Every structure is written in C-alpha cells, then in structure tokens.
Amino acid sequence: MPRPRAISEHIDLWFQELIDLDEAIPLFRLRRLETEISKLNNEYEKAIDYAYLYGIWGKIDEARSWLRATGGYGSSTALSYAGAAKASLQFTESMKALRYAKDSGALSTQSSRAFAFYIAMGVCAYNLAQEIQEMKDDDMIEKYEYSPSMKVIKSASRLGLKDEDIQTYFNRSLSNIEKHFDNKRWALAIHQSVCEEMPDKIVLRVEVPADPEKFGDILWDMCDIDYSGIPAEVRNSIIINPVPAE
C-alpha cells in the first residue's frame, strides 16, 4: 500500500517498512509508530498518518475518525487524503479526493500521477484511472509496472461499467466482512484482473487477513448484500473473490 512521502521522513520510512512486511505486523511496531506520530507538530499530517496507521492495524473505525479529523483537503493535500481514505476503506471519499486532485492540477509530476493511478485502481475507480493515465504521454504505466491494470480498465470501459456502480457493489460486500479482520494488524489487499477463461469478467481478489476457518462465513457475508440499485452489467461482470492473506 504505497503512500505519498510524509513531511517527516522517519515516519515515511517506518510506514514503508510495515507495508513491505506483507504479513501480520508485530504489535510493538505499530505502538512505536503510533507514539512517533503523536509527536508530530503538523496536525494535518498527524491526522492523515493516524488514518493510515489504524487502517493498516485493522482499526477501521479509528482510521475513519482520524480521516474526518483532517477537516477535508485542498489541492496540495487531496492526494494524501485520497490515500488515507483508501486505507480507511472509504472508497467514495478517496475517489472524490482524486477527482479534485486531478481537476485542481495537483497531478503535475509523474510520481504523483503514478500514485493517483495506484489509488484509483485500489478503490475500483477504473474510468478515473484511465483519465489519469491519459494526462501525459509518458512511460508511467511501464515504469511503475501497472500494465496489467490496463487490461482491467479496457474491460471496464468496453463493458460500460461506471466507477460509482462498481464501488457501490464492492463496498456493500466489503462492509459485511470488516468484522472479520478487525485488529488483525495486516492491511487489506485488493488485486484486479481480467478472467482469462471469461474475458467479460473482472475479478476482484480480496486478501482478507482473517482466520482461514472463517472463510465460509466470509464468502456468505460478501454475497448476502442488498443488490438494489446495482446495474445488472455490474453484477454480471464483477467477480469478488476473497482469499486468506498469506
């Protein structure tokens, strides 16, 4: 889960170390970072960093509380806010912030566009991701190894899927399983791909940091949602596949 560079360099490095672990994070490391964030003088950075931290930790309610504590975003902070919103599983908020960042001219560098593209894909905003990719004629996709994402974007575009509808469908499923990874100390990971056997299907592979024996309940919970208002083309084209995080 990449994040834009923080104002405080040591905080940024510690976050990256936690993300690179790709496993359940030792509690003492989370507590140490929590203490360091509390020392920050910049209140906005503090709130953003807490939202990231508690999102990784699995304390989603606390992450969302700190996201609200930021008070919102401007052109210089929209990209950081979008990343924190993704970590807090607030996908609609993240997409709105990315849209603002793009429209306000905040994506002026290749690295900022690459991070925005990553976040857009992570919150299932495929049409917005395509807009970001098309902003400049550069090698961003190849440089950051995002080429597989383009297959998903092209499939979503060909099928006429709207970002808002995909998010509604996915968010309803995701909200039903938050209880299973509460306080698991492992960031939720989402990967998208186009099904080779069925090219009209987009697979959302959700790595859930939950006990493997709970996956029968997780599969049921992700399907037991209100489907009203979700277009048939979305229900028929998006496959949500939860798997245990390893």
Side-chain angles (χ1 to χ4, degrees):
M1 184 175 63
R3 55 193 301 280
R5 186 167 298 279
I7 296 172
S8 303
E9 295 294 324
H10 71 293
I11 297 286
D12 182 75
L13 292 173
W14 285 357
F15 263 115
Q16 198 58 55
E17 287 179 2
L18 295 186
I19 293 166
D20 290 344
L21 280 177
D22 196 25
E23 61 184 25
I25 302 167
L27 185 58
F28 79 90
R29 299 190 70 167
L30 293 166
R31 292 292 189 195
R32 174 77 183 278
L33 185 50
E34 184 180 42
T35 299
E36 289 302 312
I37 293 173
S38 71
K39 300 175 184 177
L40 294 174
N41 294 321
N42 185 300
E43 293 300 320
Y44 192 87
E45 184 195 356
K46 183 184 292 186
I48 287 289
D49 285 348
Y50 273 141
Y52 269 106
L53 175 66
Y54 293 128
I56 294 173
W57 199 321
K59 296 184 176 185
I60 303 302
D61 287 341
E62 289 185 55
R64 290 170 178 165
S65 178
W66 279 104
L67 187 70
R68 290 191 295 272
T70 64
Y73 49 84
S75 59
S76 64
T77 55
L79 194 54
S80 294
Y81 183 96
K86 176 184 179 293
S88 306
L89 306 185
Q90 295 288 82
F91 288 1
T92 300
E93 279 291 297
S94 181
M95 184 170 68
K96 288 179 180 178
L98 284 178
R99 170 64 65 187
Y100 181 86
K102 178 181 178 296
D103 293 346
S104 65
L107 306 183
S108 59
T109 66
Q110 188 180 85
S111 61
S112 65
R113 292 192 298 276
F115 181 73
F117 182 89
Y118 166 84
I119 293 296
M121 291 300 298
V123 298
C124 305
Y126 303 137
N127 294 293
L128 179 54
Q130 184 172 26
E131 290 181 38
I132 294 168
Q133 182 267 329
E134 293 173 345
M135 286 180 66
K136 297 284 185 179
D137 183 19
D138 55 31
D139 62 349
M140 181 192 78
I141 298 300
E142 289 74 19
K143 179 178 179 179
Y144 291 92
E145 299 181 352
Y146 289 159
S147 295
S149 299
M150 295 308 299
K151 293 182 180 180
V152 175
I153 288 173
K154 290 178 181 178
S155 181
S157 177
R158 178 172 52 81
L159 296 168
L161 306 183
K162 296 181 179 179
D163 294 343
E164 294 81 359
D165 293 332
I166 299 173
Q167 283 192 338
T168 297
Y169 182 31
F170 188 53
N171 284 343
R172 288 182 189 177
S173 292
L174 195 59
S175 65
N176 272 8
I177 67 167
E178 286 183 14
K179 59 190 176 186
H180 293 291
F181 52 81
D182 180 56
N183 203 27
K184 293 297 184 180
R185 310 193 311 276
W186 194 328
L188 183 73
I190 302 166
H191 306 281
Q192 306 98 333
S193 62
V194 175
C195 183
E196 293 184 3
E197 294 79 11
M198 298 178 288
D200 60 337
K201 306 290 185 183
I202 295 174
V203 180
L204 301 182
R205 186 175 184 269
V206 187
E207 296 181 7
V208 185
D211 299 327
E213 60 267 22
K214 296 288 186 180
F215 263 78
D217 296 334
I218 289 172
L219 286 167
W220 174 261
D221 287 342
M222 294 196 83
C223 296
D224 187 27
I225 66 170
D226 176 10
Y227 289 91
S228 62
I230 301 173
E233 58 267 25
V234 172
R235 299 196 306 269
N236 295 333
S237 302
I238 302 294
I239 299 173
I240 302 174
N241 178 31
V243 297
E246 298 178 352

